[in-house]
Amino acid sequence: MSAIDFTSIPVLDLAKATRDKIVFLAELQHALIHIGFFYVKGHKIPSDLLNSLTKQTIAYFDLPLDEKLKTDKTNSPAFLGYSSLGNETTKDKKDNREQFDFANDYPSTWTEGRPIYERLTGPNLWPAEEVLPGFRQTLLSFQSQAQDLAETLIRLVAEALDLAPNALLDRYVLPRQQHHAKLIKYPAMDQLNPLEGTQGVGPHRDTGSFLSILYQANGLPGLQVQSHAGTWIDAPAIPNTFVVNIGTGLEYLVQNVAVATTHRVLSPPAGCGPRYSIPFFLRGRLDQKLIPIDIPQRILDQRPQTVVTDSGHQFRQLYANDPGLYTLLNRISSHRDVGIKFYPQLAKDHSISH
Ligand SMILES: O=C(O)CCC(=O)C(=O)O
Ligand SMILES: [Fe+2]
């Protein structure tokens, strides 16, 4: 076990990043190296926008199934749109959540002969405006503000590791890159088939991304983070904050000195109603190999020695060598119906079946 383990998740105040930067960077450095998770308060995303986002999220999932299926992911080679309850798996176990994936609204530009992962960039599937007035605009506004926040944070992450502020952003994140976000609904246990278990989403590390920013929209508990010793620590919703965590891409790039910590979501207890949450994932560019960067030795020396994980996930060298193909294969194995429809050969070559 490492010398410094954690029993709770720290709250960092972004306002301090300008007011008292040295202290802020020291707190951030500690969170990156020893926890891999932190809350951020003092951000600039207006609460009015977040309240509208929560309302739109609930309204979307309350639509009749046939309306939601008009935006079904099986219509999107970019894996955007709706996936129904139990349609996603983590480590071959069914997750009990419904989702709507969205991203910066870009057209698809892939043509035959271009790298296949370029098909991951493509347009959103929106419900008709008259069905959910304001939905599209609210989500895109959140998407753009969450991206600004993530870019601010990744600059501060670089500084906290004694790198130049733009060392990560300029090289590894493209200005017009398509980043994903999603609306998620986790039904409470009394709304699920008892045989389905209590896995909202199973233990995992965020793969194929650098930073995740999570808004716990209606304040329900369920998110848990695994300490180095293997204990599950609650990460309850704290008003006016986001939960931030590190993805495996960034972990690899910085020689494991920022940890991509394992986490999971338990279905809400019976009687609580559903949990709604909205993560945004800052993705590294798909065409840029990941080559670990130089980090000062005094920072490397602080790395935890042993970290227990229930994730089962091993870093795959393919991610570093070909982030685009890796990201695509990851999406195919999480959403097999979409993968088999649009990428049958790849799914076959990698033994991905229903
Ligand atoms: O919904 C949550 O609270 C966490 C979601 C999550 O970890 C994920 O989708 O990667
Ligand atoms: Fe996650």
Side-chain angles (χ1 to χ4, degrees):
M1 199 201 305
S2 62
I4 305 178
D5 205 347
F6 62 94
T7 52
S8 63
I9 315 291
V11 181
L12 303 193
D13 183 358
L14 250 194
K16 238 195 216 172
T18 38
R19 220 178 43 221
D20 204 355
K21 193 158 182 185
I22 291 174
V23 174
F24 179 87
L25 291 179
E27 290 171 357
L28 178 57
Q29 187 188 84
H30 183 273
L32 293 171
I33 299 177
H34 299 288
I35 306 170
F37 260 83
F38 55 93
Y39 291 88
V40 64
K41 68 173 187 181
H43 58 80
K44 303 253 171 55
I45 304 188
S47 50
D48 281 0
L49 173 62
L50 295 172
N51 292 339
S52 307
L53 184 65
T54 305
K55 283 200 190 104
Q56 293 286 0
T57 301
I58 296 172
Y60 176 81
F61 288 118
D62 282 349
L63 290 174
L65 184 62
D66 63 337
E67 203 58 63
K68 288 184 279 195
L69 288 174
K70 288 182 187 163
T71 56
D72 196 61
K73 261 200 191 75
T74 49
N75 298 311
S76 167
F79 295 83
L80 294 169
Y82 178 65
S83 44
S84 54
L85 193 63
N87 212 285
E88 199 191 24
T89 47
T90 300
K91 315 286 166 288
D92 292 324
K93 236 180 127 197
K94 212 169 179 197
D95 294 324
N96 293 299
R97 59 179 185 174
E98 244 182 294
Q99 298 182 78
F100 178 82
D101 283 52
F102 60 106
N104 311 68
D105 221 357
Y106 294 158
S108 94
T109 53
W110 178 78
T111 49
E112 205 68 56
R114 298 287 310 160
I116 188 75
Y117 64 76
E118 288 184 5
R119 284 188 91 185
L120 282 172
T121 300
N124 286 297
L125 302 184
W126 299 114
E129 186 62 24
E130 59 276 17
V131 172
L132 277 186
F135 180 79
R136 174 189 180 132
Q137 197 227 315
T138 304
L139 268 60
L140 286 179
S141 174
F142 171 74
Q143 170 78 13
S144 131
Q145 301 218 24
Q147 183 170 336
D148 286 350
L149 175 59
E151 289 180 355
T152 300
L153 287 169
I154 200 114
R155 276 198 200 92
L156 290 165
V157 165
E159 288 189 81
L161 300 178
D162 262 8
L163 303 169
N166 283 334
L168 299 168
L169 195 61
D170 279 2
R171 176 125 195 237
Y172 293 98
V173 185
L174 272 183
R176 268 185 53 82
Q177 190 163 342
Q178 195 175 39
H179 301 287
H180 275 226
K182 52 194 185 184
L183 312 178
I184 313 176
K185 173 183 177 180
Y186 298 92
M189 271 159 36
D190 53 329
Q191 298 164 320
L192 294 170
N193 175 341
L195 297 177
E196 307 283 15
T198 58
Q199 173 167 302
V201 58
H204 68 281
R205 310 198 289 153
D206 287 350
T207 53
S209 63
F210 279 15
L211 264 193
S212 311
I213 294 189
L214 176 76
Y215 178 52
Q216 306 198 70
N218 67 335
L220 254 70
L223 176 63
Q224 294 189 318
V225 178
Q226 195 166 32
S227 77
H228 299 175
T231 310
W232 288 104
I233 313 279
D234 288 326
I238 302 180
N240 305 318
T241 67
F242 291 94
V243 177
V244 181
N245 66 285
I246 307 304
T248 58
L250 183 59
E251 180 186 61
Y252 180 81
L253 204 53
V254 299
Q255 301 192 46
N256 301 335
V257 80
V259 268
T261 302
T262 305
H263 52 288
R264 68 179 181 188
V265 175
L266 304 178
S267 304
C272 284
R275 165 186 166 89
Y276 295 97
S277 60
I278 303 162
F280 167 90
F281 302 100
L282 188 83
R283 179 191 265 179
R285 52 191 287 181
L286 298 180
D287 61 348
Q288 174 70 52
K289 275 186 204 243
L290 298 178
I291 298 167
I293 52 188
D294 285 339
I295 306 281
Q297 193 60 40
R298 58 177 187 75
I299 294 184
L300 292 181
D301 287 346
Q302 296 177 54
R303 277 179 300 202
Q305 295 305 304
T306 316
V307 176
V308 172
T309 172
D310 288 352
S311 153
H313 165 87
Q314 302 292 330
F315 184 83
R316 302 237 187 89
Q317 199 52 38
L318 177 64
Y319 186 5
N321 296 343
D322 191 344
L325 181 61
Y326 172 81
T327 304
L328 177 55
L329 289 174
N330 226 353
R331 304 298 286 164
I332 295 176
S333 71
S334 292
H335 297 283
R336 296 172 188 199
D337 47 355
V338 185
I340 290 163
K341 178 170 174 190
F342 293 107
Y343 307 95
Q345 193 58 45
L346 266 184
K348 200 163 152 233
D349 292 350
H350 291 83
S351 311
I352 296 166
S353 58
H354 281 294

